[in-house]
Amino acid sequence: MRIGSIIDGIERTESRRPAMYVKNPYNQEQLAELIPADEQDVKEAVQNSRDTFHSVMKQMPAHKRADILRRAADLLQERSDSFAEVIMLEAGKPIRHSRAEIDRSVQVLRFASEQTKHMTGEVLPMDAAVGGAGRKGFVKREPLGVVGAITPFNFPLTLSLHKIAPALAAGNTVVYKPAEKTPLSAYRLVQLLQEAGLPKGVLNLIIGTGQETGVPLTRDDRVQKITFTGSLPVGRSIRKEAGFKKVTLELGSNSPNLIFEDADLDHAVETLVKGAFAFSGQVCISAQRVYVQRTIYETFLDRYVQQTEALNVGDPAEETTDIGPMINENEAERAQQWIEDAAAKGAIVQTGGSRNKTMLTPTIMTNVTSNMKITAEEVFAPIVSIIPFETEEEAVSMANDSIYGLQAGVFTKNINRAFRTADRLETGGVWINDISTYRQDNHPYGGVKQSGIGREGVKYALEDMTELKFIGIRLQEE
């Protein structure tokens, strides 16, 4: 299978760059040959998107945009099994989890379709200001123009749609640069949206490396917004290169979860096994640091190790598999080195830590310190650290001792403590009696500190993909 970029509805079949290849992370089977784009392709895609915005999208009524997104949701639901298989193959995500991603993606499209019809403005009381009598004021939302969407490998469909669907709902055009590790689902998504009625040129697909395609897309002054999910170093670079255009950056975390002595321990253990190890920990809000009150620490740890060791690690195509491979062997090697580095500094591996090519067993670490990579940085691997604490103040202090602040979890039956702790945690979101890893597609999602800028969640992303325009009228006396 050979795939290339899609610009103005036409697939590019030739390239000025060497071919790239997509491989199954589990068995290294070659899945596709990629025809990579370069800077010239990006320039053409942006120009086509700009032209299409002015000739097509600015004139398209909201009900038609809503219908296209709704039809796309229906088509995706009908083809959920085939899309799930593509994600399983290219990302190594266990098939059960891949199906769950399709379900979420359908929901994102439906939310966007509904939200399209609710881009409301307001009427301002102009006479509230001195001199405003006899004037009327209106505020409306208008689309930005061209949006550049740069997406990661870990949720190749859902996270793409969290950028593309709100952009289309708002009336923008999109230049879409997916992760080069997982372009097959992106390729099929563009085809599906076109089948749903999206005019050619509204969504242009650019397949290539970040340096060859992401950088020129970010720098291009004809692009009005860049929305990116990925690493902190790349996010810093995007913010520097983007100039005056809007940016939304979701840059990851080392999410804390606080377990107080009155928590429902069975629930905390069960959910945190999922929260730390789902998709091999390759989740921005994966439960990476788990702080447990010392009175229940040993009990929690014993149960947590036991349930972690019961996870089924293996072929992502198997229905019974809980944990599949990491995205490639380099990432698995890097994660194993972090484990070994922490162990050399005194950390204890309670379970896991072994690697076979891309497969890294779920790893629980104790006796860790805040300056170890496995706690200070984003591990993006099946590694979790369990850390005891004495008091609420100590737990909050340790949780906030991070450059990141995306999402956190707090487990307690004390409602006063729950809200008090949630208010004090320096994160963009807090779940009470649930894991940091839980995300719904209709709430504002984004971080503070170096976890990013801006918010996703369909309604909130859509708002940031528009500009406010004020229109004032001075009434004439007759």
Side-chain angles (χ1 to χ4, degrees):
M1 180 182 182
R2 297 179 81 233
I3 66 170
S5 301
I6 300 175
I7 302 174
D8 198 24
I10 301 171
E11 183 175 354
R12 297 293 172 98
T13 58
E14 296 182 0
S15 174
R16 293 171 285 269
R17 308 293 302 169
M20 299 163 57
Y21 299 93
V22 181
K23 294 184 178 181
N24 182 325
Y26 178 68
N27 58 20
Q28 303 307 304
E29 175 189 0
Q30 183 175 308
L31 303 174
E33 178 184 343
L34 305 183
I35 304 167
D38 59 16
E39 185 172 354
Q40 182 58 38
D41 295 314
V42 173
K43 289 179 179 179
E44 293 178 22
V46 171
Q47 185 61 48
N48 178 251
S49 293
R50 186 174 183 275
D51 293 343
T52 306
F53 171 71
H54 289 287
S55 64
V56 177
M57 284 301 274
K58 286 188 76 171
Q59 286 75 46
M60 185 183 291
H63 71 83
K64 186 172 181 180
R65 301 198 302 273
D67 287 345
I68 291 170
L69 290 165
R70 178 184 48 77
R71 284 196 296 270
D74 293 342
L75 288 172
L76 182 56
Q77 191 164 43
E78 291 171 8
R79 300 168 191 177
S80 59
D81 286 344
S82 62
F83 268 86
E85 184 178 11
V86 169
I87 291 174
M88 180 271 294
L89 289 171
E90 68 177 352
K93 182 175 291 188
I95 188 63
R96 288 185 291 117
H97 300 160
S98 295
R99 290 197 194 99
E101 178 170 349
I102 304 305
D103 291 342
R104 280 187 61 194
S105 299
V106 170
Q107 183 171 246
V108 171
L109 283 164
R110 295 203 192 286
F111 278 140
S113 176
E114 295 163 5
Q115 200 65 40
T116 302
K117 299 180 180 181
H118 296 281
M119 283 178 55
T120 57
E122 61 178 316
V123 178
L124 296 180
M126 300 304 291
D127 60 352
V130 176
R135 299 175 188 269
K136 300 289 184 182
F138 305 90
V139 180
K140 60 179 291 191
R141 289 192 175 274
E142 293 189 335
L144 299 175
V146 181
V147 172
I150 305 175
T151 62
F153 74 84
N154 57 333
F155 286 84
L157 200 63
T158 300
L159 294 186
S160 293
L161 283 169
H162 264 293
K163 304 177 189 309
I164 293 169
L168 299 179
N172 298 291
T173 56
V174 180
V175 178
Y176 173 29
K177 191 274 176 206
E180 58 266 32
K181 300 181 184 72
T182 53
L184 304 184
S185 51
Y187 179 81
R188 292 195 60 184
L189 174 61
V190 173
Q191 293 179 320
L192 181 141
L193 281 162
Q194 290 177 345
E195 186 178 343
L198 193 69
K200 65 180 183 179
V202 174
L203 176 60
N204 287 323
L205 174 69
I206 292 293
I207 293 176
T209 66
Q211 188 61 39
E212 292 287 339
T213 60
V215 171
L217 178 61
T218 300
R219 290 174 176 169
D220 199 309
D221 290 335
R222 295 168 296 176
V223 176
Q224 277 69 47
K225 177 181 172 73
I226 293 290
T227 173
F228 167 79
T229 297
S231 71
L232 175 56
V234 176
R236 284 197 186 109
S237 176
I238 286 175
R239 189 177 187 189
K240 180 180 178 181
E241 299 284 357
F244 284 101
K245 60 176 64 70
K246 284 188 170 186
V247 293
T248 295
L249 304 175
E250 197 278 277
L251 307 178
S253 191
N254 53 0
S255 294
N257 289 258
L258 283 59
I259 320 298
F260 290 94
E261 60 187 358
D262 65 339
D264 181 338
L265 208 55
D266 290 337
H267 171 66
V269 169
E270 181 182 354
T271 54
L272 280 164
V273 169
K274 298 175 184 176
F277 303 122
F279 193 34
S280 298
Q282 297 170 125
V283 182
C284 298
I285 43 178
S286 181
Q288 184 174 325
R289 297 177 292 149
V290 178
Y291 298 98
V292 185
Q293 200 150 23
R294 193 174 294 278
T295 51
I296 59 169
Y297 178 81
E298 293 297 338
T299 302
F300 174 89
L301 183 60
D302 288 344
R303 294 185 191 180
Y304 197 63
V305 169
Q306 183 179 3
Q307 289 200 26
T308 297
E309 291 177 342
L311 292 171
N312 186 7
V313 181
D315 186 348
E318 297 292 333
E319 293 289 342
T320 56
T321 296
D322 299 306
I323 308 295
M326 293 188 65
I327 191 64
N328 57 41
E329 193 162 2
N330 286 341
E331 281 300 298
E333 287 177 353
R334 187 266 310 163
Q336 187 180 39
Q337 289 172 1
W338 286 20
I339 294 169
E340 293 172 352
D341 176 68
K345 295 176 180 177
I348 299 170
V349 180
Q350 294 288 341
T351 188
S354 61
R355 182 180 67 85
N356 180 16
K357 297 181 179 178
T358 57
M359 304 294 292
L360 181 65
T361 55
T363 305
I364 299 173
M365 308 287 290
T366 58
N367 201 40
V368 300
T369 60
S370 61
N371 60 353
M372 293 176 178
K373 285 185 176 182
I374 59 168
T375 54
E377 300 184 30
E378 182 180 37
V379 293
F380 224 63
I383 304 169
V384 63
S385 297
I386 314 298
I387 305 160
F389 70 87
E390 298 286 352
T391 66
E392 177 184 322
E393 290 71 21
E394 181 188 13
V396 171
S397 176
M398 289 192 294
N400 288 339
D401 183 20
S402 173
I403 64 170
Y404 296 111
L406 186 48
Q407 203 153 273
V410 176
F411 292 78
T412 179
K413 295 176 183 176
N414 184 323
I415 191 66
N416 294 321
R417 174 191 285 150
F419 277 102
R420 187 170 60 240
T421 304
D423 285 343
R424 294 172 63 195
L425 286 170
E426 297 168 355
T427 56
V430 178
W431 277 104
I432 296 170
N433 290 324
D434 213 338
I435 50 178
S436 62
T437 323
Y438 183 74
R439 177 184 178 184
Q440 286 188 191
D441 301 305
N442 61 336
H443 71 69
Y445 174 81
V448 298
K449 302 182 188 178
Q450 296 185 43
S451 278
I453 299 170
R455 293 294 182 268
E456 290 190 340
V458 175
K459 173 179 179 290
Y460 308 93
L462 186 151
E463 289 175 351
D464 201 53
M465 291 178 178
T466 63
E467 291 282 14
L468 292 176
K469 175 178 279 188
F470 169 77
I471 301 174
I473 304 171
R474 185 176 66 83
L475 301 177
Q476 300 280 350
E477 292 185 5
E478 295 185 4

